[in-house]
Amino acid sequence: MTALIAFLLLALLAVGVSRLRLHAGQFRLSAPMVGPLFVDGGDADERRVNHDLDAVRTRFEQHPTWPSSGVLGERR
């Protein structure tokens, strides 16, 4: 009886895994604040710098002037 229950549980597990279509690409290693660890195309610092440059570029495309502090004259 125990062998039958074990067989049924293993069969259900096999059916579940085949339906989920698991593959190694779904389980990439990543770290918080860094992103994917083992990715071709540079290290985390390079990706971060490129992301920051893209953010600055799009900010100046939308608003081409540097924001001012709000104080325009000399105050004492």
Side-chain angles (χ1 to χ4, degrees):
M1 186 69 172
T2 305
L4 180 63
I5 292 172
F7 176 75
L8 288 174
L9 287 175
L10 286 174
L12 286 173
L13 181 66
V15 168
V17 168
S18 68
R19 288 214 168 205
L20 290 176
R21 297 179 183 159
L22 300 175
H23 54 87
Q26 293 174 325
F27 303 103
R28 293 180 296 180
L29 295 176
S30 63
M33 305 294 288
V34 175
L37 293 178
F38 302 108
V39 177
D40 295 335
D43 61 348
D45 291 331
E46 182 182 350
R47 287 192 307 270
R48 189 177 306 112
V49 167
N50 288 333
H51 180 268
D52 289 345
L53 289 174
D54 287 340
V56 169
R57 189 177 307 114
T58 57
R59 187 253 180 255
F60 278 106
E61 286 174 357
Q62 295 171 0
H63 305 285
T65 58
W66 192 262
S68 68
S69 66
V71 178
L72 300 177
E74 182 179 346
R75 298 189 183 182
R76 292 183 186 200

